[in-house]
Amino acid sequence: MKWLKRFGITFLSLPIILMAIFVLYEILGMCVNHIATQKQTHTLQMNLENEISDIEIISVYSETGNTSGTGNHVDCLSSIIFSTKMHENEIEDCMSKYYVFDEWNCYVDQTDDGDYKIYLNTSAPFADNIEGH
């Protein structure tokens, strides 16, 4: 009789255990995605500072989530505004060993103030996470 009771309790608690595992997996995915975004932004900033000698970082921005608003996916977005005496094509040339500039996911753009913005958007490690829905 004890065996039947244990089996019944285990069987009835199985959906709760599976839901808890799923929730923990989603939370783990969110944490990993945010860490990946922080690392990407930090690497982008370090690459800029290493390649451009007269750089002055004005602002650093990062975001993890569905940045385009289309589809169910998670992106890692990094954007840095900086000033330098270099021109846009020179910046792209010196950063091209790290990134592929495609005018959509990675590009350099001049702001209205005469500064430059570098934009990098990549797919997150857990791209199908709840954060992208």
Side-chain angles (χ1 to χ4, degrees):
M1 202 55 136
K2 284 185 176 184
W3 180 84
L4 188 58
K5 185 176 179 181
R6 287 182 191 161
F7 176 77
I9 291 172
T10 303
F11 184 74
L12 291 176
S13 62
L14 192 60
I16 295 169
I17 293 169
L18 291 175
M19 285 176 32
I21 290 171
F22 177 75
V23 168
L24 289 174
Y25 176 77
E26 290 294 324
I27 291 171
L28 172 72
M30 289 173 61
C31 293
V32 169
N33 287 344
H34 283 272
I35 290 169
T37 301
Q38 290 173 354
K39 182 179 177 188
Q40 172 182 289
T41 304
H42 178 72
T43 302
L44 177 62
Q45 184 174 353
M46 294 302 297
N47 290 339
L48 281 169
E49 291 172 346
N50 289 337
E51 294 297 322
I52 302 173
S53 59
D54 67 336
I55 192 167
E56 182 183 333
I57 303 289
I58 296 170
S59 71
V60 178
Y61 175 77
S62 64
E63 179 181 343
T64 305
N66 188 342
T67 59
S68 66
T70 58
N72 297 334
H73 64 281
V74 181
D75 297 319
C76 299
L77 175 108
S78 302
S79 179
I80 298 177
I81 297 176
F82 61 95
S83 64
T84 183
K85 291 188 181 2
M86 295 175 77
H87 296 288
E88 188 174 322
N89 57 351
E90 294 173 319
I91 297 168
E92 286 183 3
D93 286 343
C94 69
M95 296 298 288
S96 64
K97 60 182 161 185
Y98 303 109
Y99 308 104
V100 176
F101 292 92
D102 62 1
E103 302 298 325
W104 183 255
N105 291 319
C106 184
Y107 61 86
V108 176
D109 196 19
Q110 192 166 17
T111 65
D112 294 337
D113 298 335
D115 300 322
Y116 293 99
K117 174 178 80 169
I118 188 165
Y119 176 92
L120 179 63
N121 190 356
T122 60
S123 182
F126 286 82
D128 194 26
N129 191 268
I130 190 72
E131 212 169 16
H133 296 273

